[in-house]
Amino acid sequence: MDRQDLDFDDAIKENRRDGGRSGEEIERFTVDENLTELERAKLFLSPGAHQLQQCCALERLPKIFHEYKGAANRALFPALTSWVESYSPQSQVAAGEAFMAVTEDTSLPKEVGQWLLPTVLQLLNSNRNQEVARVWLKALCAIIQILPRQVLLEDLMPLAVSKGESQQSAQSRTAACAIFGAIAPFLKAEEIAKSFLQKAMGLCQDTDLEVRVCMCEQLNKISRAVGVDTVKEKVLPELYELLKDEELAVQNAALETLVEMLDFLPAEIRQTKIMPYLRSFCPPEETEVVLISLPRLIGELMCKLVYDLSDDDFQPLMEAYKSYARHSSEEIRKLCASNIPAVLKAIGSRKYALGLHVLYLQFVQDHSPPVRAICAAAFNEIAKMLGKKRTSSYLREPLVMLLEDESRDVQKAILEDLNLTLGHFNVGTAQQKAAIFEALLPSILRAEKAASVGRQWRMQLCLLRAFAEMPEYFSSDQIYDYLVPICFNYMTEGVLHVRAAATMALAVFIRNNRKACQRYELSTRVVRDYANGRSYWLRMVFIEFCENMLKVSSSRMFKDVFLDPAISTLQDPVPSVRMRACLLLPHIKHAIKLPEDVGVLEKINHLTTQRLNDNVKEVAAAAQRVADGFKHSLRSAINDRDMAGGQAISQEEIERIDKQREEEEWNMLSKEEQEEKKKIDDMLQRLKLEGGSKKANIASSLQPLPSAQQDPGRRSAVGLPRSTSSNGSRGSLGSMATTAPSRTGSADTGRKLTSSSPVSPSQTPAPASSIKRGSTQPVSAPAATKLGGRTSLTTGAAGASARPASPAISLRPQTPSTPTPTDDLASRRNLKTLPGRRTSSSNG
């Protein structure tokens, strides 16, 4: 049959056959979609189900138990107990892991342990696969923690004793050891001594290696249950024998148990019994066979013994640590490097210079990248224990080495907490701090360059999160020259999360910049490159920036530059931008202040209504969600660090924080910068007033036309910028619509006018003032023109959006109509009055 003759169903069947599945198999493994999750799980757990179906049901078993509780037990376990033995080893392992996850759910009834116990015991007794048996043994130990004490005494303790008999297999004796350790914390000392203590001590001398290791791992739990006196008499002698075992695995397990028991044992035993044994390993011999537990636990060992030992007794342990740190094995050096914080805690920060500094430098320069990465991960913890003064003296060189390391794993580890790490160097006078951070800046820039070369976005994200703390450590000029370009680069080139972090960093930089001219330049660049960006995703980045700017700055700083462009994004021609801009509305609404911003509030409400009626349903839905959540949006209006206990704060508290931020931003500037800021504000105010005056003159030269009466049901969509942006005085609505052509001509003429070349922000004249409903003033240009029984507002040259190459968009659907003679007359009059009208409209 020709492929062109295949319908959709035939193509699906053919693809299934090509995948190696026959029709019978597909039919057998197909289930009814209307089954409940419990019914589907029962079906998937049956022996005839596919292995993937079984694993899927077992993976969801904890969730099913959480939702159905007793119903799940009644529906699943009678059948599961009889089926589980027929599962493959992989499915049995998955079942054991699912049982362990069920025991961790504290919302389940207390009887859940008794539901699971029969199945676990059945699998444990019948299974001969060591991997599967090990998983089910862990599951049993997890279930023991939620079983009633009576079940432990009457069922599990006799079972463990019987499994520990010498004639039982090694697997059974290992299970007995694990059960003894699991039930010991829930029994009394007398019950343990009477029932299985002697049996457990006998298993310490078992002939099988696995049994001795497992029993050794249980001695800490048993010792804490039976008490110190019994430990001295019966447990410690067996532990000493295990420490001298001929098998290295047993010695390692015994040493680990000994370290766990140190805080439980009396000081007398630690000094007279434990230290003589430890001295035999100090210093260690350079051999291939090493007791691996000692370098892994030496930090914990020192912390537990530090108060019992004199300096002479403690020195051998320190020498042993240094010897292990120089070992040829990479694994041992990694263990020693991870123990540096614990060793430092034991010896104290005062002895760091004599005991550990050289060793830490050795680890930082180790030829193994994993060793250096461990040092980088521990850097912040070490610096915290040393304190700022010692950190600035000793750790500056290691930090530079780690930042400039050639390994990405090392750089990633040091950048992970860079925002915290830099704070440890913030000490001394202003000159000293400036010198310290000036020396660190080149290394930070090299780390950023390394992260950008390979597009390591996680490293970039860590670095940008640290950027938000940089104003505390670096000067405004350093940030402006070196760090701000990085933010702009990532805002343009970075992935989604990196762009978001870059906008936050740039917002912090602008807010904390101490030079008014740099603040203004950066702010205008953001508006020029992003708010008026040619690509829609650049305008999306601008919206993200506005959200972050509102979180870190005062409302006045935001409104001076970013308010009008932010509101204009609600009229963007791209639906995705309008939808994203809707999420910005709650932040803007809590930034405006009444009565001076009443015009802005009216404009926001008007645009919100427009978006609620947007012709794109996704945009309308987003606007509806925002409108419904306005009353709950106080929390998102202020940065998380200004909220106490996660509670929503009042409007008065928001205004207090905003006032405090405004004062901080003003005090950041020097007197000269404050004067310069005033000049910039006065210049902007003068330009706005001049633009408004020119627009008023043009409007007064036009006579109102009979066909251009104001629609009483709508407000004028043309408006001025706020009369002042720096002193917070009341302003008018501002433009509520993007640039649109005059509709006195045909639809083709309108399209031609809207597709012409862009206009730079400096060339765009200010819009005309707004006219409220019911006003008797003449309609300002561009006039409202009646078309086909409808009244529309045209904006002419004073378009609200100065975004380059962004086509005009009508926010309400329009129906083209045939122009009337009156309309043609109005058009000719307008063109006669304004010779440059066609040019200015096309540029808009």
Side-chain angles (χ1 to χ4, degrees):
M1 181 172 58
D2 188 14
R3 277 189 172 272
Q4 295 181 353
D5 297 332
L6 288 172
D7 60 10
F8 183 71
D9 293 334
D10 293 333
I12 293 177
K13 294 178 181 179
E14 184 176 7
N15 289 333
R16 285 175 174 173
R17 285 197 296 271
D18 292 341
R21 294 282 182 263
S22 64
E24 293 77 9
E25 287 180 307
I26 295 172
E27 184 67 26
R28 185 159 60 92
F29 295 128
T30 301
V31 297
D32 186 1
E33 294 182 357
N34 297 322
L35 293 177
T36 65
E37 190 168 16
L38 190 60
E39 294 171 340
R40 187 181 296 110
K42 185 175 181 180
L43 185 63
F44 284 177
L45 291 174
S46 63
H50 193 275
Q51 182 176 339
L52 291 177
Q53 292 175 327
Q54 292 175 351
C55 291
C56 179
L58 290 170
E59 184 179 350
R60 296 185 61 81
L61 197 61
K63 183 179 179 181
I64 294 172
F65 262 90
H66 181 78
E67 293 180 359
Y68 293 93
K69 295 181 173 58
N73 171 55
R74 293 188 295 271
L76 298 180
F77 269 93
L80 182 62
T81 304
S82 60
W83 294 339
V84 71
E85 288 189 42
S86 62
Y87 288 176
S88 65
Q90 181 181 353
S91 297
Q92 290 189 20
V93 169
E97 293 173 348
F99 279 27
M100 285 187 279
V102 170
T103 60
E104 297 173 359
D105 190 348
T106 56
S107 65
L108 293 176
K110 297 180 180 180
E111 297 81 10
V112 65
Q114 295 171 277
W115 298 347
L116 305 177
L117 183 60
T119 305
V120 174
L121 292 178
Q122 175 185 340
L123 267 293
L124 194 61
N125 292 327
S126 61
N127 209 293
R128 294 295 178 265
N129 186 301
Q130 289 189 357
E131 181 182 357
V132 176
R134 192 177 296 112
V135 171
W136 283 105
L137 184 58
K138 290 181 180 179
L140 177 61
C141 294
I143 293 172
I144 285 174
Q145 302 177 23
I146 58 175
L147 288 175
R149 188 169 178 274
Q150 185 178 0
V151 175
L152 300 181
L153 287 172
E154 297 179 357
D155 297 335
L156 289 182
M157 190 165 60
L159 175 65
V161 172
S162 64
K163 282 182 170 292
E165 298 295 337
S166 57
Q167 65 270 19
Q168 295 287 340
S169 65
Q171 184 173 312
S172 296
R173 300 200 301 275
T174 302
C177 296
I179 296 173
F180 287 151
I183 66 176
F186 305 98
L187 302 179
K188 297 179 181 179
E190 299 81 9
E191 294 170 339
I192 295 175
K194 181 180 179 181
S195 56
F196 65 83
L197 180 60
Q198 194 62 35
K199 175 66 70 177
M201 295 302 101
L203 290 172
C204 292
Q205 303 297 327
D206 196 275
T207 57
D208 188 84
L209 169 65
E210 294 292 334
V211 176
R212 298 202 302 278
V213 170
C214 185
M215 191 64 244
C216 189
E217 293 171 349
Q218 315 306 319
L219 289 181
N220 179 46
K221 300 176 183 177
I222 295 175
S223 298
R224 295 177 185 272
V226 298
V228 175
D229 294 335
T230 306
V231 170
K232 290 181 182 179
E233 180 182 353
K234 295 186 177 181
V235 179
L236 283 180
E238 297 297 336
L239 183 58
Y240 295 149
E241 292 293 328
L242 293 169
L243 288 167
K244 300 175 184 178
D245 196 278
E246 64 273 9
E247 295 290 343
L248 199 61
V250 180
Q251 292 184 40
N252 282 311
L255 181 58
E256 186 170 351
T257 299
L258 180 64
V259 174
E260 292 176 352
M261 293 173 57
L262 282 176
D263 58 345
F264 168 73
L265 296 174
E268 177 187 356
I269 295 179
R270 293 199 296 264
Q271 294 173 355
T272 59
K273 301 292 185 181
I274 307 302
M275 274 309 299
Y277 169 77
L278 294 176
R279 286 194 186 97
S280 63
F281 293 94
C282 305
E285 297 180 1
E286 182 66 24
T287 61
E288 292 298 327
V289 180
V290 177
L291 196 60
I292 199 70
S293 293
L294 189 57
R296 181 164 59 86
L297 301 170
I298 195 166
E300 183 181 356
L301 183 64
M302 289 181 177
C303 290
K304 290 184 176 181
L305 292 175
V306 65
Y307 298 109
D308 299 325
L309 305 177
S310 62
D311 291 342
D312 294 337
D313 292 331
F314 195 81
Q315 191 61 29
L317 289 175
M318 194 66 196
E319 293 299 327
Y321 176 68
K322 292 179 180 179
S323 178
Y324 280 125
R326 294 188 293 268
H327 200 275
S328 59
S329 171
E330 177 186 326
E331 185 65 26
I332 293 177
R333 296 200 310 277
K334 285 168 58 179
L335 293 173
C336 290
S338 63
N339 269 277
I340 281 188
V343 175
L344 177 59
K345 182 180 178 181
I347 67 173
S349 59
R350 294 183 178 180
K351 297 181 180 180
Y352 171 80
L354 297 176
L356 273 182
H357 183 58
V358 175
L359 198 59
Y360 186 65
L361 283 175
Q362 172 190 319
F363 285 137
V364 169
Q365 302 175 74
D366 195 277
H367 60 82
S368 172
V371 176
R372 302 197 302 272
I374 291 174
C375 292
F379 188 95
N380 189 54
E381 187 177 358
I382 295 171
K384 186 177 181 180
M385 287 190 286
L386 286 179
K388 292 184 177 181
K389 188 174 182 180
R390 291 187 178 88
T391 297
S392 61
S393 300
Y394 297 113
L395 296 187
R396 192 189 316 175
E397 181 182 0
L399 179 58
V400 170
M401 293 179 182
L402 294 170
L403 285 172
E404 299 181 1
D405 198 285
E406 60 184 10
S407 171
R408 290 178 179 176
D409 293 335
V410 177
Q411 287 189 328
K412 182 181 178 182
I414 195 63
L415 292 176
E416 190 91 23
D417 297 319
L418 184 62
N419 56 332
L420 302 176
T421 300
L422 291 176
H424 297 299
F425 293 89
N426 193 16
V427 65
T429 63
Q431 293 78 10
Q432 291 172 337
K433 289 189 288 187
I436 291 173
F437 289 110
E438 185 176 0
L440 292 176
L441 183 57
S443 300
I444 295 174
L445 296 178
R446 292 190 188 98
E448 185 279 326
K449 185 177 181 181
S452 61
V453 169
R455 292 188 174 273
Q456 301 294 312
W457 69 268
R458 290 182 177 85
M459 292 172 56
Q460 296 169 2
L461 191 60
C462 293
L463 189 65
L464 288 170
R465 286 172 178 169
F467 273 20
E469 308 294 332
M470 296 299 187
E472 188 175 351
Y473 313 128
F474 298 101
S475 67
S476 296
D477 287 332
Q478 289 173 323
I479 292 174
Y480 182 82
D481 293 336
Y482 300 107
L483 303 183
V484 165
I486 295 174
C487 291
F488 278 116
N489 179 58
Y490 285 135
M491 286 170 62
T492 306
E493 303 290 340
V495 298
L496 180 63
H497 295 295
V498 173
R499 288 204 302 264
T503 58
M504 171 57 82
L506 183 62
V508 172
F509 289 163
I510 294 176
R511 191 263 176 184
N512 292 279
N513 195 294
R514 295 180 175 274
K515 293 189 175 181
C517 58
Q518 292 181 0
R519 281 188 190 177
Y520 178 75
E521 182 179 348
L522 294 177
S523 300
T524 53
R525 180 178 176 184
V526 170
V527 174
R528 181 184 70 244
D529 294 350
Y530 296 92
N532 299 327
R534 291 178 179 272
S535 300
Y536 80 95
W537 59 266
L538 288 175
R539 304 195 291 275
M540 298 271 278
V541 171
F542 173 73
I543 297 173
E544 183 86 27
F545 169 83
C546 288
E547 286 187 357
N548 290 324
M549 194 68 191
L550 283 166
K551 290 180 180 179
V552 300
S553 72
S554 66
S555 59
R556 180 179 297 277
M557 175 177 281
F558 178 81
K559 290 187 291 186
D560 282 347
V561 184
F562 304 112
L563 180 61
D564 292 335
I567 295 176
S568 297
T569 58
L570 287 164
Q571 298 172 298
D572 195 274
V574 179
S576 297
V577 180
R578 300 199 302 273
M579 185 164 58
R580 180 67 179 84
C582 290
L583 302 180
L584 186 62
L585 283 173
H587 302 268
I588 295 179
K589 186 175 181 181
H590 291 294
I592 63 178
K593 296 180 180 180
L594 298 178
E596 60 265 25
D597 292 329
V598 64
V600 177
L601 182 60
E602 291 176 356
K603 183 175 181 180
I604 290 174
N605 292 336
H606 177 77
L607 293 179
T608 302
T609 304
Q610 283 188 345
R611 297 287 69 79
L612 288 170
N613 299 317
D614 200 285
N615 55 0
V616 179
K617 62 180 181 180
E618 289 81 4
V619 178
Q624 185 63 53
R625 289 194 297 270
V626 171
D628 294 341
F630 258 135
K631 58 184 178 180
H632 303 296
S633 59
L634 279 176
R635 179 175 299 183
S636 61
I638 294 293
N639 197 10
D640 293 339
R641 58 186 173 86
D642 295 319
M643 298 174 56
Q647 300 295 325
I649 57 180
S650 63
Q651 183 66 29
E652 291 77 11
E653 182 67 12
I654 290 178
E655 293 176 358
R656 185 192 67 78
I657 295 173
D658 186 70
K659 185 67 175 177
Q660 179 181 351
R661 288 178 175 177
E662 185 176 328
E663 293 176 356
E664 291 174 355
E665 291 158 2
W666 181 254
N667 294 332
M668 286 179 190
L669 305 176
S670 63
K671 292 183 178 180
E672 294 78 8
E673 293 291 340
Q674 290 175 356
E675 293 297 328
E676 185 176 354
K677 177 71 165 56
K678 290 179 181 179
K679 291 179 181 178
I680 293 176
D681 291 342
D682 293 340
M683 178 186 67
L684 294 175
Q685 176 65 16
R686 187 169 60 256
L687 291 174
K688 289 181 179 181
L689 292 177
E690 290 176 357
S693 176
K694 291 180 180 178
K695 198 66 180 179
N697 293 335
I698 295 174
S700 63
S701 66
L702 294 175
Q703 297 298 325
L705 300 177
S707 60
Q709 299 299 324
Q710 177 74 23
D711 185 354
R714 296 179 57 190
R715 289 187 177 93
S716 174
V718 292
L720 257 179
R722 292 170 295 141
S723 59
T724 175
S725 60
S726 58
N727 58 11
S729 61
R730 175 175 175 174
S732 56
L733 284 178
S735 176
M736 293 186 294
T738 54
T739 304
S742 173
R743 294 191 191 147
T744 56
S746 64
D748 292 337
T749 304
R751 285 194 293 270
K752 180 178 179 181
L753 292 176
T754 60
S755 60
S756 46
S757 60
V759 179
S760 64
S762 61
Q763 295 173 338
T764 305
S769 59
S770 63
I771 300 175
K772 294 188 178 180
R773 184 183 305 172
S775 174
T776 60
Q777 297 179 6
V779 179
S780 58
T785 306
K786 189 171 184 181
L787 296 175
R790 303 182 65 181
T791 302
S792 65
L793 295 176
T794 58
T795 59
S801 175
R803 183 177 300 115
S806 296
I809 179 171
S810 176
L811 298 179
R812 301 183 63 182
Q814 302 288 344
T815 304
S817 59
T818 305
T820 63
T822 306
D823 293 329
D824 291 338
L825 176 61
S827 176
R828 286 195 297 273
R829 286 182 180 178
N830 286 337
L831 293 176
K832 210 169 188 181
T833 307
L834 295 175
R837 181 179 181 87
R838 179 180 301 276
T839 304
S840 61
S841 298
S842 63
N843 289 342

